[in-house]
Amino acid sequence: QVQLVESGGGPVQSGGSLRLSCSASGYIVNRYCMGWFRQGPGKEREGVAAIVRDGRTTHADSVKGRFTISQDNTKNTLYLQMNDLKPEDTAMYYCAASREWTCFEIPLVRTEYSYWGQGTQVTVSS
């Protein structure tokens, strides 16, 4: 049984930083793709960043230069370092894992992911 557990969210002021973690069990983090998605109030869930099996990373334009996805294979954990946070980054952040290689070409597409965590809330105040 696959379990993804996020942590590290919370309130932060604009310009601040947070590091999200996603601990995986029942799934090897470098098997296919893993990603971070977010859903703000009244918005659809969107892809933030993803990392594929060969280590290649993809970041959404809205977070490029501010957020960095990484993983520690020894800890089977996914991370999202978020710097220079803005109020528009306020959202529930979800960790996701795929179970097919098709995610390699479109790693930020939500439907490529089968396993999801419960989410961790990030709230950025101005």
Side-chain angles (χ1 to χ4, degrees):
Q1 183 179 357
V2 176
Q3 278 195 315
L4 304 174
V5 180
E6 303 97 334
S7 62
V12 63
Q13 289 191 331
S14 183
S17 298
L18 286 173
R19 188 176 81 154
L20 305 183
S21 299
C22 172
S23 179
S25 59
Y27 185 92
I28 299 173
V29 296
N30 64 344
R31 184 173 183 182
Y32 294 114
C33 303
M34 291 201 74
W36 288 100
F37 291 75
R38 68 184 181 186
Q39 188 166 13
K43 298 181 180 179
E44 291 192 358
R45 194 170 298 189
E46 63 175 356
V48 175
I51 185 166
V52 302
R53 180 173 180 169
D54 61 4
R56 176 170 49 95
T57 62
T58 302
H59 296 80
D61 288 344
S62 59
V63 304
K64 277 182 181 176
R66 301 189 297 123
F67 292 11
T68 304
I69 190 172
S70 63
Q71 65 188 30
D72 185 331
N73 296 334
T74 63
K75 297 181 179 179
N76 215 38
T77 300
L78 183 73
Y79 301 101
L80 184 68
Q81 178 65 44
M82 306 187 295
N83 298 328
D84 190 23
L85 282 158
K86 303 176 181 182
E88 51 263 42
D89 296 318
T90 294
M92 185 71 81
Y93 283 72
Y94 298 91
C95 170
S98 66
R99 60 179 181 184
E100 295 183 65
W101 62 268
T102 53
C103 65
F104 291 175
E105 296 302 320
I106 43 175
L108 289 182
V109 173
R110 183 181 61 188
T111 52
E112 292 297 317
Y113 293 83
S114 300
Y115 307 109
W116 294 85
Q118 293 300 307
T120 185
Q121 178 69 37
V122 172
T123 303
V124 185
S125 58
S126 57

